[in-house]
Amino acid sequence: MTVQRSSNSLREELASFLTHYCKAPTPLDPENVVVLNGCSSVFASLAMVLCDPGDALLIPTPCYNGFVFSSHLYSKIELIPVHLESQVPRSNLDSFQLTVDKLKLALTQAKKKAKKVKGLVLINPQNPLGDVYTQSSLQEYLVFAKTHKLHVIMDEIYMLSVFEPSVTFHSVLSIKDLPDPNMTHMIWGTSKDFGMSGIRFGVLYTHNKEVASAMKAFGYHHGVSGITQYKLCRLLQDKEWISKVYLPKNHSRLQKAYSYITKILKDLKIPFYNGGSGLFVWINLKAYLSPCTFDQEQILHQRFRDKKLLLSSGKSYMCIEPGWFRLVFAETHLHLQVAMDRFCHVLAEHKKHEK
């Protein structure tokens, strides 16, 4: 059997690219780079390599809903949610903040149910919250994982989409002394930061040579075409254009769209959450649900769909609270105007109907 491998030139270019944009303390090794046709392929394959069927992974929720399918694709891995709340009574914590105490509680409860937890999945910047982990918080999560002998799968697919100047992104690859480098694995791709969802490409960087070797075998089923690899090489090697032209323009457009959307949300007195990154805003429509249940959330979700608005419901992200929706704002101003007119119309009609 011939295994489809990514070209040496692409892996070398990716190692250089990730070293630069992740601010790695030392040059990354191209031999530790694994390329497959999409981040979902990378995650599904990595879950199979790290886990046995029936094993489990901790994941803070709300979280990207594609992980549910990907974790079951090969190894039937169970995702155990670490529920984050929008309101934390008697606490100085921010909304939806992940803490080590919450991780410990979820792990303890899983063990009581005889679950074999093999790892922790983190998304940074977070989807659907748009939040970015601080360096100290990230360190705490990694120490927790090492203490409990857990792999850490870090999804950083939005790492170049931090548009708020006051927010600083810290890649897991930027940490000089990782608590457990052999059990830390980072995923990235071009579908979000470069708007290239149709170019099926995802990359894993792991310091673990055995994991990298096992992952490369999946290139037989999840390989990337030679033409795609060549185009990606040409894109990623042009760091001057990326840094001086593309990223500033992209961040400016995201910031402008975000400002437009959030002004309307403020006028409507709709609470929202976003940490200054990503392509979306997490909005609270609980006031439009009577009673505030997941059934009512689904009814409102369908009304959006009927008007050709594809907001995502909070339940699909394993959110423990009904009433939250993810609204994507990465669009042209004209399209956003049309979308928000429909959005306001749906909410007005929905409220009228509920009365």
Side-chain angles (χ1 to χ4, degrees):
M1 179 180 74
T2 302
V3 176
Q4 174 69 34
R5 284 177 59 91
S6 54
S7 68
N8 290 336
S9 56
L10 177 58
R11 286 187 289 109
E12 289 170 1
E13 204 55 61
L14 278 164
S16 172
F17 179 89
L18 294 175
T19 297
H20 179 77
Y21 287 102
C22 295
K23 296 181 171 58
T26 57
L28 300 176
D29 186 351
E31 287 302 310
N32 294 345
V33 174
V34 181
V35 175
L36 299 178
N37 62 343
C39 291
S40 293
S41 297
V42 173
F43 182 82
S45 304
L46 184 59
M48 185 175 183
V49 168
L50 301 181
C51 304
D52 295 319
D55 287 348
L57 299 170
L58 296 179
I59 186 165
T61 62
C63 70
Y64 169 59
N65 47 17
F67 283 137
V68 177
F69 170 76
S70 299
S71 60
H72 281 75
L73 186 59
Y74 291 137
S75 295
K76 312 300 180 188
I77 304 303
E78 180 181 356
L79 294 182
I80 295 179
V82 182
H83 292 300
L84 309 182
E85 306 88 11
S86 63
Q87 294 182 345
V88 188
R90 298 182 300 279
S91 172
N92 61 352
L93 297 178
D94 294 331
S95 299
F96 295 109
Q97 186 171 333
L98 177 64
T99 65
V100 170
D101 285 342
K102 291 177 183 177
L103 291 172
K104 287 179 180 176
L105 177 61
L107 182 60
T108 301
Q109 291 175 339
K111 287 181 176 180
K112 285 181 179 177
K113 296 177 182 177
K115 304 291 185 183
K116 192 171 183 180
V117 180
K118 285 287 191 70
L120 168 64
V121 181
L122 296 173
I123 309 171
N124 185 36
Q126 224 273 4
N127 177 11
L129 301 177
D131 203 6
V132 177
Y133 293 136
T134 64
Q135 194 169 25
S136 59
S137 294
L138 187 55
Q139 186 73 21
E140 288 178 4
Y141 308 148
L142 294 171
V143 170
F144 162 83
K146 181 182 180 180
T147 300
H148 297 280
K149 297 180 172 59
L150 301 178
H151 288 275
V152 175
I153 302 174
M154 184 70 64
D155 183 334
E156 297 186 358
I157 197 167
Y158 291 98
M159 72 173 186
L160 298 181
S161 297
V162 180
F163 56 83
E164 175 56 54
S166 63
V167 176
T168 302
F169 168 75
H170 300 281
S171 170
V172 72
L173 298 180
S174 70
I175 299 175
K176 185 176 181 181
D177 296 309
L178 280 169
D180 195 342
N182 272 336
M183 296 183 73
T184 306
H185 321 282
M186 180 269 204
I187 298 173
W188 179 76
T190 51
S191 61
K192 311 303 181 185
D193 288 335
F194 287 94
M196 296 166 58
S197 296
I199 303 296
R200 301 309 304 148
F201 159 77
V203 58
L204 169 75
Y205 190 87
T206 175
H207 297 284
N208 190 316
K209 298 287 186 182
E210 291 183 356
V211 170
S213 177
M215 285 290 294
K216 287 172 185 176
F218 286 90
Y220 183 78
H221 291 295
H222 297 291
V224 179
S225 74
I227 294 174
T228 299
Q229 292 190 43
Y230 172 76
K231 292 290 187 181
L232 286 168
C233 268
R234 294 296 301 272
L235 169 66
L236 299 176
Q237 71 187 13
D238 195 351
K239 297 184 186 69
E240 183 175 1
W241 176 80
I242 292 171
S243 297
K244 295 183 178 180
V245 179
Y246 174 72
L247 288 179
K249 176 60 72 173
N250 192 43
H251 292 166
S252 172
R253 288 174 174 173
L254 288 174
Q255 198 169 29
K256 185 177 180 181
Y258 174 77
S259 297
Y260 173 74
I261 291 292
T262 54
K263 182 182 183 305
I264 294 175
L265 294 175
K266 288 173 184 176
D267 290 342
L268 293 172
K269 294 182 170 53
I270 294 175
F272 59 89
Y273 186 90
N274 184 284
S277 68
L279 317 178
F280 37 76
V281 60
W282 187 239
I283 63 175
N284 182 348
L285 297 181
K286 292 182 180 183
Y288 294 86
L289 305 186
S290 181
C292 187
T293 63
F294 283 113
D295 286 340
Q296 289 297 312
E297 177 183 283
Q298 182 57 35
I299 291 171
L300 179 55
H301 181 243
Q302 187 58 50
R303 287 193 170 142
F304 284 130
R305 289 174 64 90
D306 291 343
K307 293 297 182 181
K308 297 183 171 57
L309 287 173
L310 299 181
L311 277 75
S312 301
S313 65
K315 187 176 182 180
S316 67
Y317 293 95
M318 294 194 286
C319 184
I320 197 173
E321 304 171 16
W324 289 88
F325 289 79
R326 192 188 78 159
L327 189 159
V328 175
F329 57 78
E331 255 296 356
T332 62
H333 186 68
L334 179 60
H335 287 165
L336 286 180
Q337 282 182 312
V338 173
M340 293 311 290
D341 284 346
R342 293 181 185 179
F343 177 80
C344 294
H345 178 73
V346 169
L347 292 182
E349 287 295 310
H350 180 76
K351 205 146 196 178
K352 192 184 301 181
H353 185 272
E354 292 301 306
K355 289 179 181 178

